[in-house]
Amino acid sequence: MTKYQVLIIGGGTAGVMVAAQLKKKNKNISIAIIEPSDKHYYQPAFTLVGAGAFDYKKSIRPTVKYIPKNVTWIQDFATALNPNINTVSTRKSGDISYDYLVVAPGLVNNLDGIEGLREGLESGVVCSNYVDPNKTWELLQKFNGGNAIFTQPTTPIKCGGAPQKTAYLSAHYFKKRGIANKTNVVFATPGSVIFGVKVIADTLMKVIGRYNIHLKTFYAPISIDSANKIIYFKEVNAGENSCVINENNVLGEKHVGNEVIEIPFDFLHLAPPQQAPDFIRESKLVNEAGWLDVDHNSLQSNKFENVFGLGDVAGLPTAKTGAAIRKQAPVVVDNLLKLISNKAADNKTYMGYSSCPLVTGYGEMVLAEFNYKNEFVPDPKLKQMLVFNSDKPHWRLWFLKKYMLPYLYWNKMMKGEEV
């Protein structure tokens, strides 16, 4: 059985960053990455791809180019975690042994989590930047008016702000095409507010007002009828402040029973329900919700001290973004180096930092930066570079999103440099 000091599951942002930073600190550590895909995707660009503002091909690069030097790439699928005996089972390569395990496989779309979603996507009636951003752009160009609905599920998702970014860009696109006056843009969310950080929410409510977007809170999508182009929502606060729907309303919205609402659509974009991969959910390393159970500040497993988890699969009460990983990886690396040196993994400095680049239209963006307490916490390095607060839409932030962040990702983050 092959053995490595550090075995990493996942060759995405989190896995590569940890491997690269570890090698920079100690080139003698034996490290392997289990990653089945030969393509590495820069997923933050998908929102722009879906709005015709970024070339999809430029978001893809070969995985092999970013596996750090002297790190073994095991191009295979992990199938089971065996933390009691320090092994990971794989589809083709057998069991692989480790001293320390880093779990960072990302999450997966559950296309069957909403009734009719899979059929809607496969038939081309429904679109999602999470599945095929090129399809989103195709349908946007074909849309000529009516109800354009944007929504998200009740599960945690990659970049929780992405569905509303798509709504803002689409609303701007309809305006540019001159069809805004015959379009009803709807953003429906299971949440109670547009964003959990108040100063950002205040800004976004102005954006919603500018585009005349119909904001529907407490709306959880439950099924899609693609043939008749109807989406059904469940009121998640039914019985308390039940929604009042007037007859003959502009959206054609109707109550079906006590808690279900139907809305016809001419364009529908949504984030699918998302979850940890099955081999994670079936392991001993998860919490009750099926996410990796780790200490919120050290990223160390709460069940096995030689296991760490970070990135989208981690059960952390913060947004699942690459910016969060940027702050998580150095903590994991430091704690691993301490354990390897027979010291305690006592670095507990991750305070939930994440950021969500909220594109509010073509040529402008808001950068929401926050922590576990939902406090607005601008990164000092970024603030120094931008010379202004990022809580209002600005053209410089658009350039940050479209040009600077991809450059930093490919040339700094993926090379193990702390940025």
Side-chain angles (χ1 to χ4, degrees):
M1 185 187 302
T2 310
K3 182 176 181 179
Y4 299 91
Q5 276 180 283
V6 178
L7 181 61
I8 299 171
I9 301 176
T13 308
V16 169
M17 281 186 71
V18 168
Q21 289 183 23
L22 272 173
K23 276 296 183 182
K24 276 185 177 291
K25 298 285 177 65
N26 185 342
K27 65 178 187 295
N28 296 318
I29 299 174
S30 65
I31 304 173
I33 295 176
I34 300 173
E35 169 55 52
S37 178
D38 60 1
K39 295 182 178 67
H40 187 111
Y41 295 87
Y42 180 64
Q43 297 176 68
F46 287 4
T47 302
L48 299 183
V49 173
F54 198 96
D55 184 352
Y56 179 68
K57 293 175 184 174
K58 291 182 178 178
S59 70
I60 310 169
R61 296 196 182 178
T63 297
V64 67
K65 188 175 178 181
Y66 294 92
I67 300 294
K69 188 178 179 181
N70 297 321
V71 169
T72 301
W73 175 22
I74 302 167
Q75 192 174 358
D76 203 347
F77 290 87
T79 56
L81 305 180
N82 316 302
N84 288 326
I85 55 173
N86 294 340
T87 67
V88 172
S89 300
T90 63
R91 185 179 294 177
K92 298 179 298 186
S93 310
D95 287 356
I96 301 165
S97 181
Y98 60 82
D99 291 326
Y100 304 97
L101 179 67
V102 177
V103 186
L107 44 68
V108 293
N109 294 321
N110 176 11
L111 301 185
D112 299 310
I114 293 174
E115 184 184 346
L117 172 57
R118 184 181 292 276
E119 293 80 1
L121 290 167
E122 290 175 352
S123 65
V125 174
V126 180
C127 61
S128 175
N129 285 338
Y130 290 84
V131 177
D132 183 356
N134 285 321
K135 186 67 178 181
T136 301
W137 177 230
E138 179 190 323
L139 292 184
L140 267 183
Q141 294 174 91
K142 291 179 179 177
F143 176 78
N144 290 308
N147 286 353
I149 300 178
F150 303 82
T151 188
Q152 61 192 71
T154 55
T155 67
I157 56 175
K158 296 180 187 182
C159 190
Q164 61 181 279
K165 294 183 225 180
T166 305
Y168 304 144
L169 281 165
S170 299
H172 194 179
Y173 178 67
F174 301 149
K175 196 174 179 180
K176 286 166 68 172
R177 277 184 56 199
I179 60 172
N181 62 347
K182 56 179 183 177
T183 299
N184 305 308
V185 180
V186 179
F187 183 68
T189 171
S192 59
V193 292
I194 191 64
F195 206 82
V197 181
K198 188 180 185 307
V199 65
I200 301 298
D202 291 346
T203 293
L204 295 176
M205 288 306 295
K206 292 176 183 175
V207 173
I208 284 169
R210 188 212 311 168
Y211 291 129
N212 295 314
I213 293 173
H214 299 261
L215 175 62
K216 304 288 184 179
T217 54
F218 299 112
Y219 274 44
I222 54 170
S223 69
I224 298 166
D225 178 351
S226 297
N228 296 299
K229 288 195 164 184
I230 297 171
I231 182 169
Y232 295 88
F233 297 92
K234 183 176 181 180
E235 290 181 65
V236 292
N237 71 328
E240 296 175 20
N241 302 299
S242 188
C243 302
V244 176
I245 297 175
N246 298 318
E247 287 188 26
N248 302 316
N249 62 82
V250 68
L251 300 178
E253 194 174 12
K254 295 177 186 175
H255 257 124
V256 182
N258 294 328
E259 298 178 3
V260 176
I261 295 167
E262 70 170 50
I263 311 179
F265 66 84
D266 300 281
F267 176 92
L268 175 60
H269 175 279
L270 77 169
Q274 293 166 21
Q275 63 189 35
D278 287 345
F279 76 92
I280 299 290
R281 294 167 62 234
E282 293 163 3
S283 76
K284 298 177 180 178
L285 297 175
V286 295
N287 58 25
E288 289 183 359
W291 300 98
L292 210 65
D293 185 12
V294 296
D295 183 277
H296 292 175
N297 304 115
S298 71
L299 290 314
Q300 185 177 32
S301 168
N302 287 320
K303 299 176 179 179
F304 296 87
E305 64 178 16
N306 65 334
V307 176
F308 290 83
L310 73 162
D312 295 346
V313 78
L316 303 172
T318 193
K320 298 180 182 296
T321 68
I325 294 167
R326 179 168 67 90
K327 298 290 188 179
Q328 293 166 9
V331 175
V332 170
V333 168
D334 187 44
N335 280 325
L336 281 168
L337 291 171
K338 285 178 173 176
L339 287 179
I340 290 168
S341 301
N342 295 313
K343 298 175 183 173
D346 58 4
N347 186 332
K348 298 195 172 191
T349 58
Y350 180 65
M351 296 300 167
Y353 175 88
S354 189
S355 78
C356 186
L358 289 152
V359 179
T360 52
Y362 292 90
E364 64 172 50
M365 191 184 88
V366 172
L367 185 62
E369 299 175 88
F370 48 93
N371 58 19
Y372 283 137
K373 297 178 182 178
N374 273 340
E375 298 167 328
F376 181 55
V377 287
D379 186 301
K381 287 182 183 177
L382 271 176
K383 191 170 183 181
Q384 186 178 20
M385 181 174 64
L386 297 168
V387 202
F388 61 89
N389 272 350
S390 60
D391 61 342
K392 301 289 189 297
H394 200 286
W395 64 267
R396 273 193 204 167
L397 291 168
W398 170 267
F399 276 86
L400 176 74
K401 168 74 174 175
K402 188 169 181 178
Y403 302 107
M404 293 177 65
L405 291 180
Y407 173 82
L408 289 171
Y409 183 83
W410 294 118
N411 298 288
K412 302 294 183 181
M413 289 170 63
M414 291 296 94
K415 301 292 177 63
E417 294 186 29
E418 294 184 27
V419 293

